[in-house]
Amino acid sequence: MRLRLPVRGPAALKVLAAAAAAAAPVELQWGSPARERAPPGPGAAPTLELESGALLFSPNAICQFFFLRRGDASTDLGTQWLEWEATELQPAATTALYGRLVLGRTMAEAVGVLREPLTHMEQSLARTGTAFLTGEAPSVADVVVWGTLFPVLQEESSVPAELPALRTWFRTMTLSDPCRAAADTVLVPTALSELTSHLRQQPGPRGAGAGAGAGSGSPAPSPASPPEDEGSERVLTEAEIAAATDAWARGAAALPKPWRPQTPVLPVEGMRNILITSALPYVNNVPHLGNIIGCVLSADTFARYCRLRNWNTLYVCGTDEYGTATETRAVQEGLTPREVCDKYHRIHGDIYAWFGISFDYFGRTTTPKQTIIAQDIFRRLLARGFLLQDTVEQLRCQLCCRFLADRFVEGTCPMCGYGEARGDQCDKCGKLINAVELKSPQCKLCKGVPTVNPTEHLFLDLPKLQQPLEQWLELSWASGHWTPNARHITRSWLREGLRPRCITRDLQWGTPVPLDGFRDKVFYVWFDAPIGYLSITANYTDQWERWWKNPEQVELYNFMAKDNVPFHSVIFPCSLLGADDNYTLVNHLIATEYLNYEDGKFSKSRGVGVFGDMAMDTGIPADVWRFYLLYLRPEGQDSSFCWSDLMLKNNAELLNNLGNFINRAGMFVCKFFGGTVPSMVLAPEDKRLLARVTLELHQYHQLLERVRIRDALRCILSISRHGNQYIQVNEPWKRIKGGEEDRQRAGTVTGVAVNMASLLAVMLQPYMPSISSAIQGQLRIPPDCFVLTHTFTCTLPHGHRVGTVSPLFQKLEPERIEALRKRFGGGQAKQTPPAPQPPPAPQPPQQELAIATGNSPEVLAPHGKQQ
Amino acid sequence: MAAAARPGPGVEELVLLEKLLGLPKGSKYGVQGERKVPVLQTNNGPGLTGIMTIAGYLVKQAKKEQLLGSTAEEKAIVQQWLEYRVTQVDGSSSKEDTRIILKDLNIHLEDKVYLAGNIFTLADILMYYGLHHVMVDLTVQEKEKYLNVSRWFNHIQHYPGVRQHLSNVVFIKNRLYTNAH
């Protein structure tokens, strides 16, 4: 029997639970059915191919089949529940689920929608007095009804307390092995986003008040403003407390085994396969803190989180090495472009290694694979008629025998008259300049006067691709997490209408154009660079296409700063759509705003701010840098790096809050209990704390699933604040000297606290990996506990031996910080004055500022700026 | 729990089914809720609710279990189409819904005599009752478009005892619209 499950939703949940409950030998396949066997009815229904060749497409019928073939007879009562489920419960549950996932309604509202069916169940269970819907044993009806309710309710505590019989039934079902296994497969490791996207594509259910929800431009609640902000200080319900106590008691055995993928990591059928990229840093300079938080650090934190969730994750990045900026840098440093790239690639690699960035592979764009893949995409675009040819006027220096790319020419700004304007932009007025418009242009190298020469170039025909692009965007936006700035920038580009973009350049340092008449030219970096994601993966594994030509199985996350958005949301997708080879396109585009330095800008050219290599020399540990950068991650708005704030956060949050709590918890175990976790007898107060921590944990997940990395960090700090308070109130150091009862209390408090520390070590791992592993070492947390679920369970039980506990953080003194501020505030340039002023770092694809603001589309047009 | 109101369409077809099965008259029906779900009062307990449930019960009362399928596979398929009938067909409210249902059924019936393959089942009976008002209104062209549905429907309405007082829907044997598919 072949069972196919297209969507990880309620239908898949009940069908899997039923298969397990009735021990049906099914061959499982995820994904959509072949078109010719599309079942009738709603699109994403599971299908079961029977031995006779017949197809079952109704989830309930599939469930019933499993029980019938085991020998269970169908009863009138069972049929009645199935019919009720299909006609009454399902429509209500769909509405509730749609409200929860798509419209961001609260659990209370969802339960409100289900009030009537839930009450019906309660009355029925109470009247018959049986444990299950049709008697004393679970039947197909129980599984089917549970499968519909569970995705909405998730936890027993969501069932209103005044429905006790239902609550007991729900708990029994949820804890039964088949249901738990099905939930673990289908739902808990959140296929929720997949389900959300599926629901979004459906018309809003009748009576959900949802009609306008999915429409663009309607004031529907954005996915970024979910209701989870109801705050952690809200009153806990009895049910939440009971659920948290249960979860605690299950212990580490209840945790799933951490997923350890093989190397190379490849997509796995049936798992959530996550492909993460961070924007490729341009090789010609050292990255500053803003670059680091904008892409690699954010992506790293998310990648680590994904791995802890047991999602099959690949994180790739590398240096972007081709282009004019490398050539100018090479001229300045007296090296060949290759030597420049080798040098800076190593510098980048060292910096990221120091910051603990967990790339699965950190590659580079100047490889043979890049040439093969870029040329393949080019040929496919050419064959499909998406390339145009046109003549462009360009400055050429006859002495140097080269066309002068933007930064190889200087002159007087045609707008403001500034004398040292560059070929692409005036530093004084900030306007973008077309190089041929410069007054009295000069070759930057020989100071000769360039002439205007016509040259042939190839253009990507974006207008032809706009419509397929918009269709694809609509899907990706409906189902994925795109930060609001990413949506906004993309929308403004589309509103202007796309224009053809030149993809070739008169340079040597690049991927050669494989077409007669253009053999002396190379691809322009913005066409070339994003292809680096593919070629870097190809250098990691020969089976790279399983990641990059596999949109059915792979979810792609792109991390970047906002100036990179159009390249990832418009231009690169157009290249891939035009090349038409079943490429994996971006599902989630995560763009940060800018990080400023003190009150100004980081500036590579003026050397203001802290750069990656210098952070290493400050003596401040990498994890403290990570913490502070993630703490002020420019999420939703610009933020500012500030030395005195760094000191404050280190001393207040890391030292006094987080470090203090974890250290005290461990120290109590060592000092009062000889290094062995004492026995715990939970009092109501302890249970409330467990529920409180669980609530924070849930919020942490909700936020990280939406890639709100900065906000989720607050949940960690909040847990340790609760922990500190708990210790403070209970004073185990006093009680340990008291009578039997007091000593027991001291033991319980110490035990609960050290288990909170253990949970914090796991939650902290994406943010501060070295600190996390230090805590792991000190408390001897078993490696198998390094997995994240939605429950807080006792991982360090009575009798567990901890190791040597020592402080995790150091205080930062004002004098030291003041010295650092002086050292960096004035900027790097002052410290190394004689060095030639590097050209303001062009960071293709970032180099075109027009793109960052989206307001100067003309520079992108055929006769616009040329290098 | 069952309001004694005017019997809805669901009740009417259950009465037709009783007659088809040769059961004695006199069952007491009520309806429940906004959707007027039929409820059958039985001698014990709160009665049975829902068309699928009651129809299945009646079939068993009449000792005609073969109408529910004999193997596990057949039984599941019959249940599936009964469910399709009460969720999709009864839930359809627009022309577009109806079109989708006819299209689905037309594809499904392409290589089948009955809904469950080669055996006549309760699914055919209830689907016939559920679709009668739709088929009556179809134009000649639409009937040709959903050729497999028409063939199946014509077959069922001539099945002894099924149609009863319902009007005979006329299907033309020779095709008028050669371009139709």
PDB file of all heavy atoms in Angstrom, chain B residues 30-42:
ATOM      1  N   GLY B  30     -36.333  13.070  12.694  1.00  0.00           N
ATOM      2  CA  GLY B  30     -36.331  14.482  13.046  1.00  0.00           C
ATOM      3  C   GLY B  30     -35.169  15.128  12.345  1.00  0.00           C
ATOM      4  O   GLY B  30     -34.426  14.460  11.614  1.00  0.00           O
ATOM      5  N   VAL B  31     -35.017  16.416  12.521  1.00  0.00           N
ATOM      6  CA  VAL B  31     -33.819  17.056  12.000  1.00  0.00           C
ATOM      7  C   VAL B  31     -33.176  17.872  13.103  1.00  0.00           C
ATOM      8  O   VAL B  31     -33.827  18.249  14.075  1.00  0.00           O
ATOM      9  CB  VAL B  31     -34.103  17.962  10.782  1.00  0.00           C
ATOM     10  CG1 VAL B  31     -34.515  17.150   9.593  1.00  0.00           C
ATOM     11  CG2 VAL B  31     -35.135  19.003  11.133  1.00  0.00           C
ATOM     12  N   GLN B  32     -31.912  18.158  12.893  1.00  0.00           N
ATOM     13  CA  GLN B  32     -31.156  18.795  13.956  1.00  0.00           C
ATOM     14  C   GLN B  32     -30.257  19.864  13.369  1.00  0.00           C
ATOM     15  O   GLN B  32     -29.643  19.696  12.307  1.00  0.00           O
ATOM     16  CB  GLN B  32     -30.315  17.699  14.621  1.00  0.00           C
ATOM     17  CG  GLN B  32     -29.362  18.194  15.672  1.00  0.00           C
ATOM     18  CD  GLN B  32     -28.446  17.059  16.099  1.00  0.00           C
ATOM     19  OE1 GLN B  32     -28.897  15.936  16.308  1.00  0.00           O
ATOM     20  NE2 GLN B  32     -27.180  17.336  16.203  1.00  0.00           N
ATOM     21  N   GLY B  33     -30.189  20.997  14.050  1.00  0.00           N
ATOM     22  CA  GLY B  33     -29.225  22.044  13.692  1.00  0.00           C
ATOM     23  C   GLY B  33     -29.598  22.805  12.437  1.00  0.00           C
ATOM     24  O   GLY B  33     -30.620  22.547  11.795  1.00  0.00           O
ATOM     25  N   GLU B  34     -28.746  23.748  12.127  1.00  0.00           N
ATOM     26  CA  GLU B  34     -28.967  24.623  10.977  1.00  0.00           C
ATOM     27  C   GLU B  34     -29.001  23.855   9.668  1.00  0.00           C
ATOM     28  O   GLU B  34     -29.724  24.189   8.744  1.00  0.00           O
ATOM     29  CB  GLU B  34     -27.809  25.622  10.874  1.00  0.00           C
ATOM     30  CG  GLU B  34     -28.050  26.948  11.533  1.00  0.00           C
ATOM     31  CD  GLU B  34     -26.786  27.785  11.474  1.00  0.00           C
ATOM     32  OE1 GLU B  34     -26.313  28.042  10.349  1.00  0.00           O
ATOM     33  OE2 GLU B  34     -26.273  28.149  12.540  1.00  0.00           O
ATOM     34  N   ARG B  35     -28.153  22.848   9.590  1.00  0.00           N
ATOM     35  CA  ARG B  35     -28.058  22.119   8.339  1.00  0.00           C
ATOM     36  C   ARG B  35     -29.160  21.083   8.190  1.00  0.00           C
ATOM     37  O   ARG B  35     -29.200  20.344   7.225  1.00  0.00           O
ATOM     38  CB  ARG B  35     -26.686  21.442   8.227  1.00  0.00           C
ATOM     39  CG  ARG B  35     -25.526  22.426   8.096  1.00  0.00           C
ATOM     40  CD  ARG B  35     -24.250  21.699   7.670  1.00  0.00           C
ATOM     41  NE  ARG B  35     -23.964  20.564   8.538  1.00  0.00           N
ATOM     42  CZ  ARG B  35     -23.982  19.285   8.144  1.00  0.00           C
ATOM     43  NH1 ARG B  35     -24.268  18.990   6.900  1.00  0.00           N
ATOM     44  NH2 ARG B  35     -23.717  18.322   8.992  1.00  0.00           N
ATOM     45  N   LYS B  36     -30.061  21.029   9.177  1.00  0.00           N
ATOM     46  CA  LYS B  36     -31.154  20.063   9.159  1.00  0.00           C
ATOM     47  C   LYS B  36     -30.647  18.649   8.936  1.00  0.00           C
ATOM     48  O   LYS B  36     -31.036  17.951   7.992  1.00  0.00           O
ATOM     49  CB  LYS B  36     -32.177  20.425   8.064  1.00  0.00           C
ATOM     50  CG  LYS B  36     -32.884  21.759   8.309  1.00  0.00           C
ATOM     51  CD  LYS B  36     -34.246  21.742   7.647  1.00  0.00           C
ATOM     52  CE  LYS B  36     -34.939  23.075   7.589  1.00  0.00           C
ATOM     53  NZ  LYS B  36     -35.204  23.731   8.850  1.00  0.00           N
ATOM     54  N   VAL B  37     -29.737  18.259   9.788  1.00  0.00           N
ATOM     55  CA  VAL B  37     -29.196  16.900   9.713  1.00  0.00           C
ATOM     56  C   VAL B  37     -30.265  15.931  10.202  1.00  0.00           C
ATOM     57  O   VAL B  37     -30.841  16.137  11.267  1.00  0.00           O
ATOM     58  CB  VAL B  37     -27.945  16.777  10.613  1.00  0.00           C
ATOM     59  CG1 VAL B  37     -27.351  15.386  10.507  1.00  0.00           C
ATOM     60  CG2 VAL B  37     -26.931  17.831  10.236  1.00  0.00           C
ATOM     61  N   PRO B  38     -30.541  14.901   9.420  1.00  0.00           N
ATOM     62  CA  PRO B  38     -31.591  13.969   9.842  1.00  0.00           C
ATOM     63  C   PRO B  38     -31.193  13.178  11.091  1.00  0.00           C
ATOM     64  O   PRO B  38     -30.023  12.827  11.261  1.00  0.00           O
ATOM     65  CB  PRO B  38     -31.749  13.014   8.650  1.00  0.00           C
ATOM     66  CG  PRO B  38     -30.794  13.434   7.616  1.00  0.00           C
ATOM     67  CD  PRO B  38     -29.975  14.566   8.115  1.00  0.00           C
ATOM     68  N   VAL B  39     -32.168  12.935  11.920  1.00  0.00           N
ATOM     69  CA  VAL B  39     -31.961  12.122  13.114  1.00  0.00           C
ATOM     70  C   VAL B  39     -33.010  11.017  13.105  1.00  0.00           C
ATOM     71  O   VAL B  39     -34.184  11.281  12.849  1.00  0.00           O
ATOM     72  CB  VAL B  39     -32.130  12.961  14.399  1.00  0.00           C
ATOM     73  CG1 VAL B  39     -31.933  12.088  15.624  1.00  0.00           C
ATOM     74  CG2 VAL B  39     -31.160  14.124  14.408  1.00  0.00           C
ATOM     75  N   LEU B  40     -32.572   9.781  13.300  1.00  0.00           N
ATOM     76  CA  LEU B  40     -33.514   8.664  13.339  1.00  0.00           C
ATOM     77  C   LEU B  40     -33.704   8.245  14.787  1.00  0.00           C
ATOM     78  O   LEU B  40     -32.742   7.922  15.479  1.00  0.00           O
ATOM     79  CB  LEU B  40     -32.972   7.486  12.510  1.00  0.00           C
ATOM     80  CG  LEU B  40     -33.784   6.190  12.597  1.00  0.00           C
ATOM     81  CD1 LEU B  40     -35.164   6.366  11.976  1.00  0.00           C
ATOM     82  CD2 LEU B  40     -33.032   5.044  11.933  1.00  0.00           C
ATOM     83  N   GLN B  41     -34.975   8.281  15.237  1.00  0.00           N
ATOM     84  CA  GLN B  41     -35.251   7.810  16.597  1.00  0.00           C
ATOM     85  C   GLN B  41     -35.218   6.296  16.586  1.00  0.00           C
ATOM     86  O   GLN B  41     -35.903   5.667  15.796  1.00  0.00           O
ATOM     87  CB  GLN B  41     -36.644   8.276  17.049  1.00  0.00           C
ATOM     88  CG  GLN B  41     -36.866   9.769  16.938  1.00  0.00           C
ATOM     89  CD  GLN B  41     -35.957  10.550  17.862  1.00  0.00           C
ATOM     90  OE1 GLN B  41     -35.500  10.033  18.876  1.00  0.00           O
ATOM     91  NE2 GLN B  41     -35.664  11.794  17.511  1.00  0.00           N
ATOM     92  N   THR B  42     -34.392   5.742  17.424  1.00  0.00           N
ATOM     93  CA  THR B  42     -34.417   4.284  17.552  1.00  0.00           C
ATOM     94  C   THR B  42     -34.963   3.945  18.911  1.00  0.00           C
ATOM     95  O   THR B  42     -35.182   4.833  19.737  1.00  0.00           O
ATOM     96  CB  THR B  42     -32.999   3.694  17.400  1.00  0.00           C
ATOM     97  OG1 THR B  42     -32.135   4.374  18.297  1.00  0.00           O
ATOM     98  CG2 THR B  42     -32.485   3.843  15.995  1.00  0.00           C
TER      99      THR B  42
END
